[in-house]
């Protein structure tokens, strides 16, 4: 997830604080421009300050300067954050890319980077470098100190509102609004938990199913729809909407509870409740099933499911049944959605199948040969991406979405991906339209109202314009989605770096995979650097490239890719690899005093266990430990960014059936290149 970061520009001169405009004027004067008229009192401050305005020098006596870029110099670059180990990834990507080129052209090494109102960098410069920079058309001035911090974003990003988060997905579909309670959303799922941020009006569970399952899938769905606007946690699309939890099954309940039979029972129960309520409802099903190419014995179940959905949707004037808008996820197989979801494909039938987009407005699909949907559980399976095709009626946010979750400690919030999260965005829109538009009397009319609000940002899915659900029909421009893959890591959502946690340092003889791919781009510029020096570039190049398995000489390697869409929208990705020059840290784990070189057999819970590590050739370490108890997800229980070079955990009482892992990453800053190493150990309790 990308958070919006507050931007601040401070200008410090002679120990006083000046406005950025005054500083810009002073900078211009130093470069031959006419000095501006200073406000009253400023001249006195300037005259009183000479003693404190002495140039800042390094040990060699070289003066440090601030180099400001020309106002439009950075505009041709992508704004996405860049992985630069010196400055982190919080700076404006446009400015950082310009900075890298200026560094390479003038053989300078920046000590600071600035990327907000005053864009530029600080560096110790020789007189010759100062002269050359002032002649560079990209440079506006060389002048006194400025610090800046900035953040780049996608089309939509999470926004902090007080103590609450307004997720990017909620913004993409038109923002949050307070529900009037005029429509009920029925969530057919694993059972909505008792989360502090999610209102639940009623519960029901199918035979053998838990009313509240251990897997908080339904809780995540519910948060997208209706999380309260209460200055805490997250806010839903239709905040505080009336929810009914219809639990059809969970893997931790009775065997076979999550069955077609229970799904049909839940659909039936939804219709019963909607009839009793006397008003049109909305039903969300964020589950998918194989619908075609089935064995003969399964075909009747599929037919029953289809028939149940049609009966759920259709109003019946004789009984007074008002009908229901049916919303289903498209599925995560990166395949034809007709194979996995309700597939009548009838216009205005009151059913909507929803595919997933990312925060750039692009379809969530595989890049670099890797699936688009990483699992919450580190041991889980990565799913390929959103299904697509003629059965998808609308697209909505589904990749790296934040919502409500439950763990063994209670209510929490996580970021997750899948078309399961796209469907509830549209369910919430349907509920809001029912509440605010009395003229919408049937599910078909609600579907048509949503279709009328579908907007295209220029993205394509299988060559067809992708249309995103938006309550206001607000326009947006999709940006390319760009990812690197380096080693086993992807550069999204955070730029990947080998040689830093969680991966070990490389050696010159260690091969690693390197590739990039852009979705929704027309061309890309690629630049490669070694220790900050530009060594390779390819402008207006392909939107994907695979170096294969590569090795690199010792040094800090960085690859930047800037991509453009046909409409001129830009985005980028970066990757880095630190190839060690020797003297890597050596980390040794032990369990009960025995080194874990040959692995660790299952550990009995009857006797407390001792876990320890010892490191040589290290100046600092980071240590973390995490565990997964039976039917739970992984949780971190120890995290120390300043861990010692030796440590011991004892006595540890393990829970039967639990999995326990420790990971230590250490760096040797006394060696050239500051090589890093990682080691981990896992225990299975029996």
């Amino acid at each position: 997830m990308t958070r919006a970061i507050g931007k601040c520009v401070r200008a410090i001169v002679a120990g006083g604080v000046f406005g950025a405009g005054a500083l810009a004027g002073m900078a211009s004067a130093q470069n031959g421009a006419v000095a501006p008229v200073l406000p009253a009192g400023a001249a006195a401050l300037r005259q009183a300050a000479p003693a404190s305005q002495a140039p800042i020098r390094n040990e060699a006596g070289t003066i440090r300067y601030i180099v400001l870029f020309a106002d439009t110099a950075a505009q041709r670059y992508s704004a996405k954050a860049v992985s630069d180990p010196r400055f982190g990834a919080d700076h404006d990507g446009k400015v950082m890319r310009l900075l890298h080129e200026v560094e390479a052209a003038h053989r300078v090494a920046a000590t600071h980077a600035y990327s907000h109102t005053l864009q530029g960098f600080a560096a110790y410069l020789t007189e010759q470098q100062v002269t050359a920079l002032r002649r560079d058309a990209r440079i506006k001035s060389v002048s006194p100190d400025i610090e800046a911090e900035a953040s780049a974003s996608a089309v939509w990003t999470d926004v902090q509102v007080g103590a609450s988060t307004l997720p990017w997905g909620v913004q993409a579909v038109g923002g949050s609004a307070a529900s009037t309670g005029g429509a009920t959303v029925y969530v057919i799922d694993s059972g909505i938990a008792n989360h502090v941020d999610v209102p639940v009006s009623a519960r029901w569970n199918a035979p053998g199913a838990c009313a509240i399952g251990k897997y908080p899938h339904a809780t995540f769905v519910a948060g997208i729809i209706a999380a309260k606007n209460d200055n805490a946690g997250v806010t839903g699309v239709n905040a505080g909407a009336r929810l009914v939890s219809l639990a059809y099954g969970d893997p931790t309940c009775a065997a076979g509870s999550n069955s077609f039979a229970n799904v049909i029972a839940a659909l039936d129960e939804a219709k019963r409740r909607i009839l009793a309520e006397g008003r049109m409802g909305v039903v969300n099903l964020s589950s998918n099933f194989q619908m075609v190419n089935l064995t003969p014995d399964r075909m009747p179940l599929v037919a029953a499911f289809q028939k149940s959905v049609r009966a759920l949707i259709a109003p019946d004037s004789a009984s007074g049944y008002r009908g229901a808008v049916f919303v289903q996820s498209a599925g995560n197989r990166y395949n034809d959605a007709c194979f996995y979801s309700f597939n009548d494909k009838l216009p205005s039938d009151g059913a909507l199948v929803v595919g997933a987009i990312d925060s750039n407005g692009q379809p969530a699909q595989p890049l670099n040969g890797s699936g688009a949907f990483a699992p919450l559980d580190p041991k889980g399976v990565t799913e390929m991406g959103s299904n697509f095709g003629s059965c998808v009626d609308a697209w909505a946010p589904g990749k790296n979405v934040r919502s409500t979750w439950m763990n063994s400690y209670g209510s929490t919030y996580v970021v997750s991906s899948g078309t399961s999260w796209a469907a509830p965005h549209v369910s919430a829109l349907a509920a809001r339209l029912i509440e605010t538009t009395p003229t919408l009397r049937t599910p078909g009319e609600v579907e048509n109202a949503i279709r009328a609000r579908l907007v295209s940002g220029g993205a394509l899915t299988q060559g067809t314009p992708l249309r995103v659900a938006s309550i206001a029909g607000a326009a947006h421009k999709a940006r390319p989605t760009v990812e690197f893959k380096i080693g086993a890591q992807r550069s999204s959502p955070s730029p990947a770096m080998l040689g830093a946690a969680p991966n070990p340092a490389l050696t010159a003889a260690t091969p690693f995979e390197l590739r990039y791919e852009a979705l929704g781009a027309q061309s890309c510029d690629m630049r490669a650097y070694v220790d900050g020096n530009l060594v390779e570039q390819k402008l207006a190049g392909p939107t994907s490239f695979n170096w294969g398995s590569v090795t690199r000489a010792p040094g800090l390697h960085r690859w930047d890719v800037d991509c453009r869409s046909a409409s001129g929208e830009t985005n980028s990705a970066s990757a880095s690899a630190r190839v060690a020059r020797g003297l890597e840290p050596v980390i040794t784990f032990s369990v009960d005093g025995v080194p874990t070189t040959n692995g660790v057999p299952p550990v009995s819970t009857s006797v407390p266990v001792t876990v320890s590590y010892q490191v040589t050739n290290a100046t600092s370490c980071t240590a973390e430990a995490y565990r997964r108890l039976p039917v739970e997800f992984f949780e971190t229980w120890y995290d120390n960014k300043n861990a010692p070079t030796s440590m011991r955990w004892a006595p540890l009482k393990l829970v039967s059936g639990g999995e326990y892992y420790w990971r230590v990453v250490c760096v040797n800053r006394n060696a050239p290149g500051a090589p890093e190493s990682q080691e981990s150990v896992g225990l299975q309790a029996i």
Side-chain angles (χ1 to χ4, degrees):
M1 179 188 72
T2 303
R3 289 184 179 272
I5 299 176
K7 301 178 180 179
C8 175
V9 175
R10 291 179 298 164
I12 305 172
V13 178
V17 179
F18 289 79
L23 270 175
M26 292 184 208
S28 297
Q30 290 190 10
N31 285 276
V34 177
V37 177
L38 296 175
L45 280 172
R46 187 175 64 171
Q47 293 170 0
S52 60
Q53 289 182 337
I56 299 173
R57 300 175 184 268
N58 62 14
E59 294 179 355
T62 307
I63 298 173
R64 188 175 72 195
Y65 291 86
I66 299 298
V67 180
L68 300 183
F69 296 135
D71 292 341
T72 60
Q75 292 307 305
R76 64 180 296 268
Y77 301 94
S78 166
K80 189 172 182 180
V82 174
S83 175
D84 189 322
R86 299 171 299 172
F87 310 121
D90 292 335
H91 286 286
D92 188 309
K94 294 182 178 181
V95 178
M96 295 303 293
R97 283 166 177 76
L98 175 57
L99 168 59
H100 292 156
E101 287 198 359
V102 170
E103 285 184 300
H106 293 279
R107 297 186 179 277
V108 299
T111 59
H112 302 73
Y114 309 107
S115 59
H116 185 34
T117 310
L118 300 174
Q119 300 178 343
F121 63 95
Y124 291 100
L125 306 174
T126 65
E127 292 183 6
Q128 292 81 4
Q129 288 171 326
V130 171
T131 300
L133 283 165
R134 285 177 173 166
R135 291 174 178 170
D136 191 323
R138 297 169 294 184
I139 305 304
K140 180 178 183 179
S141 62
V142 181
S143 59
D145 225 350
I146 297 171
E147 296 178 3
E149 186 179 72
S151 172
S153 64
V155 177
W156 305 282
T157 59
D158 290 354
V159 172
Q160 203 68 27
V161 182
S164 178
T165 297
L166 185 63
W168 74 264
V170 174
Q171 298 171 64
V173 297
S176 177
S179 171
T180 65
T184 301
V185 181
Y186 298 82
V187 178
I188 298 178
D189 213 295
S190 58
I192 304 171
N194 293 311
H195 195 288
V196 296
D197 212 7
V198 178
V200 178
S201 300
R203 300 182 187 279
W204 171 91
N205 57 278
C210 305
I212 299 176
K214 289 285 187 180
Y215 183 38
H217 189 276
T219 309
F220 199 100
V221 167
I224 293 171
I225 297 170
K228 295 181 288 186
N229 188 358
D230 55 2
N231 197 36
V234 296
T235 303
V237 174
N238 204 32
R242 189 172 189 273
L243 296 175
V244 172
S245 174
L246 304 177
Y248 78 85
D250 184 285
T252 63
C253 297
S257 65
N258 54 332
S259 63
F260 248 104
N262 276 0
V263 172
I264 294 170
L267 292 168
D268 191 69
E269 177 65 15
K271 183 172 183 178
R272 185 190 73 78
R273 288 173 178 263
I274 292 169
L275 177 62
E277 193 175 56
R279 60 184 183 183
M280 182 168 38
V282 179
V283 174
N284 188 96
L285 179 63
S286 286
S287 299
N288 297 92
F289 324 98
Q290 183 77 33
M291 303 291 290
V292 296
N293 300 325
L294 300 173
T295 57
D297 60 322
R298 289 197 62 188
M299 290 303 297
L301 285 178
V302 173
F305 169 74
Q306 298 277 79
K307 184 177 180 180
S308 295
V309 172
R310 296 185 193 110
L312 174 74
I313 295 170
D316 180 13
S317 57
S319 63
Y321 180 65
R322 300 289 301 278
V325 179
F326 176 75
V327 183
Q328 186 181 12
S329 53
N332 301 339
R333 302 293 187 91
Y334 191 54
N335 207 322
D336 190 335
C338 297
F339 296 171
Y340 299 96
S341 57
F342 184 71
N343 54 20
D344 274 1
K345 294 193 291 187
L346 299 175
S348 307
D349 62 357
L352 290 153
V353 174
V354 189
I357 62 169
D358 63 20
S359 60
N360 294 311
Q362 298 290 344
Q365 67 182 59
L367 286 175
N368 294 310
S370 298
F373 298 142
L376 271 175
D377 188 333
K379 296 289 186 180
V381 177
T382 296
E383 296 184 287
M384 291 307 295
S386 176
N387 287 343
F388 49 81
S390 58
C391 285
V392 177
D393 300 289
W395 293 77
K399 185 172 182 180
N400 296 332
V401 172
R402 177 173 288 274
S403 188
T404 47
W405 196 255
M406 296 292 292
N407 60 24
S408 56
Y409 298 104
S411 301
T412 187
Y413 305 87
V414 299
V415 174
S416 182
S417 299
T419 58
S420 285
W421 318 144
H425 284 90
V426 174
S427 293
L429 290 186
R432 194 194 299 185
L433 285 169
I434 292 170
E435 292 178 356
T436 58
T437 315
T439 55
L440 299 177
R441 301 180 182 277
T442 68
E445 290 176 351
V446 176
E447 179 191 350
N448 287 339
I450 291 175
R451 288 183 179 276
R453 290 164 171 80
L454 299 179
V455 293
S456 174
L460 301 176
T461 168
Q462 309 302 308
T464 302
L466 180 152
R467 303 179 70 209
V468 179
S470 170
I471 190 67
H476 69 276
K477 290 184 178 180
R479 300 177 61 188
T481 293
V482 191
E483 285 186 6
F484 256 101
K485 186 176 183 182
I486 179 167
Q489 297 188 83
R490 294 185 294 181
S491 61
S492 179
S494 299
M497 170 176 284
L498 292 179
N503 282 354
L506 301 168
T507 65
T510 303
F512 56 91
E513 181 182 5
L514 179 64
R515 61 191 294 182
Y516 75 81
E517 185 173 1
L519 176 63
Q522 189 176 58
S523 64
C524 297
D525 298 339
M526 188 282 294
R527 297 173 178 85
Y529 302 85
V530 178
D531 293 331
N533 298 310
L534 181 66
V535 296
E536 179 188 1
Q537 70 175 358
K538 185 176 181 61
L539 305 181
T543 58
S544 65
F545 190 78
N546 187 350
W547 282 264
S549 183
V550 301
T551 56
R552 289 294 184 264
L556 179 60
H557 298 261
R558 190 184 74 249
W559 297 266
D560 296 342
V561 173
D562 300 285
C563 300
R564 293 166 297 280
S565 69
S567 62
E569 296 300 309
T570 62
N571 219 331
S572 62
S574 299
S576 297
R578 187 188 302 276
V579 180
R581 292 177 169 88
L583 295 178
E584 294 88 355
V586 178
I587 307 168
T588 303
F589 267 102
S590 298
V591 175
D592 289 336
V594 179
T596 60
T597 308
N598 297 319
V600 183
V603 177
S604 172
T605 58
S606 60
V607 179
V609 67
T610 297
V611 177
S612 62
Y613 70 83
Q614 181 74 38
V615 189
T616 57
N617 291 343
T619 55
S620 61
C621 297
T622 295
E624 65 177 352
Y626 48 102
R627 65 188 173 194
R628 179 172 66 175
L629 302 182
V631 304
E632 295 288 349
F633 291 91
F634 278 99
E635 60 181 355
T636 299
W637 62 270
Y638 182 85
D639 189 1
N640 188 348
K641 305 299 183 186
N642 297 294
T645 56
S646 64
M647 195 165 182
R648 180 173 178 266
W649 289 271
L652 296 175
K653 295 183 178 180
L654 308 185
V655 176
S656 180
E659 298 176 47
Y660 300 80
Y661 295 88
W662 287 260
R663 181 169 59 193
V664 175
V665 180
C666 298
V667 61
N668 183 1
R669 301 196 183 280
N670 294 329
E676 296 176 349
S677 295
Q678 173 196 269
E679 191 62 61
S680 60
V681 66
L683 300 181
Q684 178 73 50
I686 58 173

